[in-house]
Amino acid sequence: MKTLRISDTFAPPVEWLQLSTVTYGASGSGKSAFGRTLAEEAHAAGMRFVVIDVKGDYYGLKSSADGKREGLPIVVFGGDHADVPLDINAGAVFGETIAQLAQSGILDLEHFPKDKRLGFLADFFAALYHHNREPLLVLLDEAQDYAPQTPRGQLGRDAARCLSAVEDLTKMGRKHGIGRVFFTQRGSGLNKEVSEICDVLVAFRTPGTLDQDRVKTWLGSSGSKAQVQEAMARIDGLPTGTALFASSHPAVRHFGVHAVRIPVTFDSSATPTLGRRKQEPTRLATPALDELRARLASTIERVQADDPKALRARIAELEKRSRPHFESCPMNPAWSGTVCKGLNDKCTCGKPPATKVERIEVPVLGDAPVGALVSSAETMRMLGVDLVETARVIREALDRAQGAAIAPQGAFRPVSAGYEPRPRLAHPESVHAAPRAPAPSKGKPALDRRILTLLAQYQGKGMDQARLALHLGLHQRNKGLANTLGRLRTVGFVRGHEITETGLTALGPFAALPTGQRLFDWWFNQKLRPTEARVLQAISERDDWTREDLASRLGVHERNKGLANAIGKLRSLRLVDGMRLSEELVG
């Protein structure tokens, strides 16, 4: 059986490289050296590897420890020592290329801005998982940057995409031959969905209390109580290069502290010291680049051919060429015998005639309906309804005041694609009969309308404040929600948690909820968080799930907190009934 020479006292089987490993440790504790050791062992075992390098630390793999001889013949993509430059907008291209490349590589992202880096990696990881089918070890340095516990700030969208891609790589990468090793200085900053599913823990010196708690939680079932207590007593004082190795996986079952062997490649991550210049290797291995450049060229050409922007530009060019033209231009006789494509600013060949503007006299509004108009306007302004909707209500008020008959009017408010507009009901009450309330100086008109719309969509379906808060993304005891409901009850638009006839009249047309599969798609694509959406998708696959089977399907422990929270929210929203889809979604 092939083994890996990780330490003089620890030689795990080569199967370890196809599992998921999480590596904790403070800066300078030996994580980078361990990463180089794993890369060397993967190369010795004939397994490709790729390093996600955000600090430019790993190019030394191409040289010997003293920097005077060649090291591993790997390709460096990007950075200060690039063999091949990286295109910040081509994450999918490089993911597909590395998945199909016979050589190992390093993605040096040191000079990428963080927001661009996350978008690049989201596309890279997705393409890597989709195309890779041969054994490949992925070393993910500073993993907390692109697999954080919670994506935050302006980076949220790309951070969420990147985290989702990393989760898929962690949970399902093994079936595509992808081994994963995550490195992080802050265990508490790494996403729990990623770290808790890992098969192996490697913990170097870890001084932080929160990070120690993450290590202790992970060790729960990997060793005896006495072993865990002894390891935690030593974890903050481990010598540099020494780590705790723990796993309960059948292929690598182990619990012990070992000193990692010294790498045989150059340490390009060494910290500069006062009075000494940083040493650089004088000789680097040269990888074979001809095949790689040809592959990249063909892949980029194919991707550009499918790129929507490039296709739109091509279509625009073809449309220009297909415009009507004449052998002689009527706007300029001197052009006789030439081709006029109607592109000259002064030429109208092939262009549509100018639009004719017609003036229409409109009667001026009299004084009779002023009282009704003011009442309607104030009511609608309190609700924050747009001007078009206000105009519709004002016109109805004018017709009632003047006794004029009006032709039926269509819905003014645009309805989102995929939804049937709810027909307006005939209400005996008039919106002008609603009690007038003082203008709410501290109110939120947008929240008023969202609440009224939800209550209208869920008439007769048992809406309460807790469920309403869930739909709005608020805490059920949110003060603003309680105040808004109180104000809507005061003006007669809401009674309890039901919308009144007056409230429906004031609300006007609204988008009714779809049903069946369309309602499922609406929740799945627009309303749920990624974890909740994955749980809903899994539940929709069959009707006889147990909690254990569902957890296994999703690749998490049956007591996983994220799974429990997602199921709880889906039940509160009445999207699932027990462990099956609700009748509302089955339709």
Side-chain angles (χ1 to χ4, degrees):
M1 179 178 66
K2 287 186 178 181
T3 59
L4 307 172
R5 191 169 63 89
I6 301 299
S7 167
D8 293 338
T9 56
F10 181 47
V14 74
E15 284 77 11
W16 179 18
L17 298 181
Q18 290 188 278
L19 303 179
S20 283
T21 300
V22 59
T23 305
Y24 297 143
S27 178
S29 61
K31 298 191 308 298
S32 295
F34 175 57
R36 289 179 14 244
T37 299
L38 284 179
E40 293 169 6
E41 291 300 311
H43 182 77
M47 184 177 183
R48 299 172 303 145
F49 66 86
V50 60
V51 183
I52 311 301
D53 184 5
V54 300
K55 298 183 297 184
D57 284 348
Y58 279 86
Y59 73 91
L61 285 168
K62 297 181 66 175
S63 187
S64 62
D66 59 7
K68 298 178 181 179
R69 290 169 289 115
E70 292 186 355
L72 308 183
I74 58 180
V75 183
V76 177
F77 297 87
D80 294 331
H81 302 84
D83 297 307
V84 176
L86 273 181
D87 183 343
I88 202 167
N89 298 311
V93 170
F94 284 94
E96 179 180 348
T97 299
I98 287 177
Q100 298 173 353
L101 192 64
Q103 303 178 75
S104 297
I106 297 171
L107 286 187
D108 189 336
L109 309 178
E110 181 180 15
H111 300 312
F112 278 17
K114 188 169 185 179
D115 55 340
K116 299 294 185 181
R117 181 192 304 163
L118 292 173
F120 176 93
L121 286 175
D123 296 336
F124 173 83
F125 289 134
L128 186 71
Y129 172 78
H130 180 70
H131 293 283
N132 191 81
R133 293 297 183 272
E134 297 296 330
L136 173 70
L137 175 65
V138 183
L139 303 171
L140 302 105
D141 193 29
E142 300 296 341
Q144 76 282 349
D145 285 356
Y146 41 90
Q149 181 57 40
T150 305
R152 290 174 291 184
Q154 297 300 317
L155 308 179
R157 183 174 179 274
D158 278 337
R161 284 200 311 121
C162 190
L163 174 58
S164 179
V166 173
E167 287 180 349
D168 290 344
L169 204 66
T170 307
K171 294 173 182 177
M172 301 177 288
R174 190 181 182 191
K175 76 173 187 177
H176 288 182
I178 302 175
R180 296 78 62 198
V181 183
F182 299 93
F183 298 86
T184 179
Q185 295 183 34
R186 294 303 311 272
S188 57
L190 183 64
N191 187 269
K192 284 186 178 181
E193 289 283 333
V194 172
S195 61
E196 289 183 358
I197 202 173
C198 288
D199 306 294
V200 183
L201 169 75
V202 181
F204 288 84
R205 183 171 59 252
T206 306
T209 303
L210 292 176
D211 300 330
Q212 288 182 9
D213 289 343
R214 185 68 72 90
V215 173
K216 186 175 181 180
T217 300
W218 199 100
L219 290 175
S221 60
S222 298
S224 66
K225 186 176 181 179
Q227 285 178 316
V228 173
Q229 288 178 343
E230 181 184 357
M232 294 309 300
R234 300 175 57 187
I235 197 73
D236 62 346
L238 288 175
T240 298
T242 298
L244 167 67
F245 293 80
S247 176
S248 57
H249 192 281
V252 199
R253 193 180 299 276
H254 185 78
F255 194 104
V257 176
H258 305 282
V260 177
R261 72 165 177 81
I262 298 174
V264 298
T265 50
F266 186 80
D267 182 9
S268 49
S269 66
T271 304
T273 56
L274 191 63
R276 290 186 60 185
R277 295 181 61 185
K278 182 177 179 180
Q279 183 183 1
E280 293 287 348
T282 58
R283 189 168 184 181
L284 299 173
T286 303
L289 297 177
D290 291 342
E291 178 190 354
L292 173 61
R293 286 171 179 154
R295 180 185 295 277
L296 275 173
S298 61
T299 303
I300 290 174
E301 183 179 352
R302 175 172 53 78
V303 170
Q304 287 179 342
D306 296 334
D307 180 53
K309 288 185 178 179
L311 289 173
R312 285 195 294 270
R314 178 63 174 161
I315 290 170
E317 177 63 24
L318 292 174
E319 285 178 344
K320 283 184 179 181
R321 296 182 181 180
S322 64
R323 288 181 181 177
H325 61 275
F326 304 89
E327 287 303 318
S328 75
C329 176
M331 297 297 296
N332 191 339
W335 290 350
S336 179
T338 64
V339 176
C340 168
K341 297 181 180 179
L343 302 181
N344 187 288
D345 290 339
K346 297 180 180 179
C347 178
T348 59
C349 295
K351 296 182 181 179
T355 303
K356 182 179 180 181
V357 179
E358 183 179 356
R359 183 181 178 89
I360 300 176
E361 297 292 335
V362 179
V364 178
L365 180 68
D367 295 332
V370 169
L373 186 152
V374 172
S375 175
S376 297
E378 288 184 356
T379 302
M380 301 308 288
R381 182 171 59 251
M382 187 200 72
L383 284 173
V385 180
D386 58 48
L387 293 176
V388 176
E389 181 66 13
T390 303
R392 182 188 60 77
V393 176
I394 289 173
R395 183 166 183 175
E396 291 179 356
L398 292 176
D399 288 338
R400 284 194 296 272
Q402 296 176 341
I406 303 179
Q409 301 296 313
F412 285 84
R413 178 171 299 281
V415 178
S416 303
Y419 301 111
E420 297 291 338
R422 177 190 175 98
R424 284 184 48 76
L425 303 177
H427 302 304
E429 299 177 20
S430 166
V431 65
H432 309 296
R436 289 185 60 183
S441 59
K442 296 184 180 179
K444 297 181 179 179
L447 182 59
D448 295 358
R449 183 160 185 84
R450 289 176 65 196
I451 291 174
L452 287 177
T453 301
L454 276 170
L455 295 180
Q457 290 172 331
Y458 283 90
Q459 286 182 87
K461 296 183 180 179
M463 179 66 75
D464 55 27
Q465 186 155 329
R467 193 178 180 199
L468 185 63
L470 270 177
H471 279 270
L472 295 170
L474 302 173
H475 192 279
Q476 67 182 69
R477 296 192 185 90
N478 181 276
K479 189 175 180 180
L481 174 60
N483 291 342
T484 303
L485 279 171
R487 186 168 62 254
L488 294 175
R489 290 172 182 139
T490 299
V491 298
F493 292 164
V494 174
R495 183 180 301 111
H497 291 96
E498 291 283 338
I499 189 169
T500 64
E501 298 292 310
T502 304
L504 281 169
T505 301
L507 175 62
F510 60 91
L513 290 178
T515 58
Q517 181 62 42
R518 292 169 64 207
L519 180 59
F520 179 96
D521 295 339
W522 182 74
W523 276 105
F524 185 85
N525 294 320
Q526 300 184 39
K527 294 294 183 181
L528 298 179
R529 294 179 179 177
T531 301
E532 297 154 3
R534 287 197 294 272
V535 173
L536 184 66
Q537 176 65 47
I539 290 177
S540 71
E541 294 172 1
R542 49 188 271 199
D543 292 334
D544 57 346
W545 285 112
T546 64
R547 177 70 68 93
E548 294 79 6
D549 290 342
L550 182 61
S552 176
R553 162 67 178 80
L554 294 169
V556 298
H557 192 276
E558 63 184 84
R559 291 193 294 273
N560 180 273
K561 188 175 180 180
L563 174 62
N565 291 341
I567 293 176
K569 182 171 181 180
L570 294 175
R571 287 175 175 170
S572 297
L573 290 170
R574 301 182 188 174
L575 301 180
V576 299
D577 181 8
M579 296 295 286
R580 65 176 61 191
L581 286 183
S582 67
E583 293 182 3
E584 204 173 63
L585 294 187
V586 175

